[in-house]
Amino acid sequence: MSAIAPRPAIVTDFSLVTGLSQSRTPLQRRISAMAGMYADQGAAQRLAQEDVLVYEFFDMGVPDSPGEVAYGTSITYPGKVGDEYFMTKGHFHSVLDTAEIYYCLRGRGLLMMENPEGDVQWEELTPGKGVYVPGRYAHRSINTSPDEPLITFFAFPGHAGHDYGTIESKGFRKIVVERDGAPLVVDNPQWAQ
Amino acid sequence: MSAIAPRPAIVTDFSLVTGLSQSRTPLQRRISAMAGMYADQGAAQRLAQEDVLVYEFFDMGVPDSPGEVAYGTSITYPGKVGDEYFMTKGHFHSVLDTAEIYYCLRGRGLLMMENPEGDVQWEELTPGKGVYVPGRYAHRSINTSPDEPLITFFAFPGHAGHDYGTIESKGFRKIVVERDGAPLVVDNPQWAQ
Ligand SMILES: [Mn+2]
Ligand SMILES: [Mn+2]
């Protein structure tokens, strides 16, 4: 006889105001870890001196299997590198054809998406908006608010995995800059075919 | 050559205040659809006359596959049937070993869980709390607030499916009633082995 062990539910606090938790520690990404991703390299190097915190997010360590759901909050802080808004590194999933849902809790921004075939999409994030990123699309959060953190709750299949390398070496096809006080999506001058 | 078609992101508004959407229609469950699930059958029959709305939730119709994530909000209204709090029907997943994350946006309640082996767990839901329901556990939301809707954002694997029948015929092992103005978890007198 094989007994099936009980499995405890996991309870975590994710503040609706800060996105942070009192019981778990987020992963943090500072400007120094992604300075090369911004178009204005001079501005990026200057900010890297102070090593400003750009974003943080939770990895809850759920098992790596299709029956599980990885989840947590992501907090991208307000700021710019030159005229380019603070953003996450962005990634494809290692299992490329896996989707992800982002639900915006606070702030204002864009979710940038592109697939390997070059289809580019972006959607606005405002509180209460859910954006379902289809499988095969890399995704990046971009905070376009002057003063508020962009906070999302995200969920994706446990077996998805992360491919950061493709974006690290090629970039996204589009970037988001401030023009006349408003966000504008423009071609990425650094994008590598 | 096989071209891979672009796939649009899906954007939906889910109010952080009401849980409802201006662009999508939720599924609604009225007391008449679940009167037999409450311990006080007389009270349930009386409420069924007015056919009170107990809860509503979204089925976004994502494809039924492990690379997808089903998601939406669930809104359980305040109320009682006798001294038993309003609740969702609750279900197992058809693919039993699939998990689900519930993130509480508003209100107060409990998430009741049990597995086929009889392990019973429950966790409090308050704003900002995330409860990860492990695979193999049936789950039900219960609103213990006197006046506020219990609103959660949920996500589960696309291939999970729903088994409502097991709970409809057996019930959960525990129910939640008001005693001296506070919620109390007690044995379900109707529970069928
Ligand atoms: Mn992702
Ligand atoms: Mn479920």
Side-chain angles (χ1 to χ4, degrees), chain B residues 91 93 100 102 139 156 162:
Chain B
H91 55 259
H93 290 165
E100 183 158 352
Y102 281 83
H139 37 284
F156 59 90
H162 290 95

Side-chain angles (χ1 to χ4, degrees), chain A residues 4-16 62 66-69 71 73 97-101 103-105 113 115 117 119 121 123 127-132 134-137 153 155-157 159, chain B residues 4-16 62 66-69 71 73 97-101 103-105 113 115 117 119 121 123 127-132 134-137 153 155-157 159:
Chain A
I4 293 179
R7 192 174 152 197
I10 292 165
V11 181
T12 313
D13 60 301
F14 297 106
S15 164
L16 284 154
V62 306
E68 308 285 338
V69 182
Y71 63 95
T73 46
D97 200 2
T98 50
E100 181 157 352
I101 176 70
Y103 179 62
C104 183
L105 303 173
M113 296 165 272
N115 72 3
E117 291 71 41
D119 184 50
Q121 304 179 43
E123 294 292 348
K129 203 170 270 188
V131 178
Y132 189 69
R136 310 188 83 263
Y137 281 78
F153 186 84
F156 59 90
H159 66 301
Chain B
I4 293 179
R7 192 174 152 197
I10 293 166
V11 181
T12 313
D13 60 302
F14 298 106
S15 165
L16 285 154
V62 307
E68 308 284 340
V69 182
Y71 63 95
T73 46
D97 200 3
T98 51
E100 183 158 352
I101 177 67
Y103 180 61
C104 183
L105 303 173
M113 296 165 271
N115 72 3
E117 291 71 41
D119 183 50
Q121 304 178 43
E123 294 292 348
K129 203 170 270 189
V131 179
Y132 189 69
R136 311 189 81 262
Y137 281 78
F153 186 84
F156 59 90
H159 66 301

Side-chain angles (χ1 to χ4, degrees), chain B residues 7-90:
Chain B
R7 192 174 152 197
I10 293 166
V11 181
T12 313
D13 60 302
F14 298 106
S15 165
L16 285 154
V17 177
T18 65
L20 298 172
S21 170
Q22 299 197 286
S23 61
R24 303 279 300 209
T25 303
L27 297 171
Q28 298 192 319
R29 295 291 175 261
R30 295 180 180 278
I31 191 83
S32 59
M34 58 183 303
M37 290 184 153
Y38 290 94
D40 186 336
Q41 284 294 295
Q45 291 310 324
R46 285 190 296 277
L47 283 165
Q49 309 279 310
E50 305 156 53
D51 216 3
V52 176
L53 180 62
V54 178
Y55 69 100
E56 39 194 335
F57 62 102
F58 290 89
D59 179 344
M60 301 297 291
V62 307
D64 169 20
S65 95
E68 308 284 340
V69 182
Y71 63 95
T73 46
S74 165
I75 306 106
T76 306
Y77 291 100
K80 283 179 291 179
V81 177
D83 59 5
E84 188 177 3
Y85 295 103
F86 275 16
M87 60 189 183
T88 62
K89 285 186 172 186

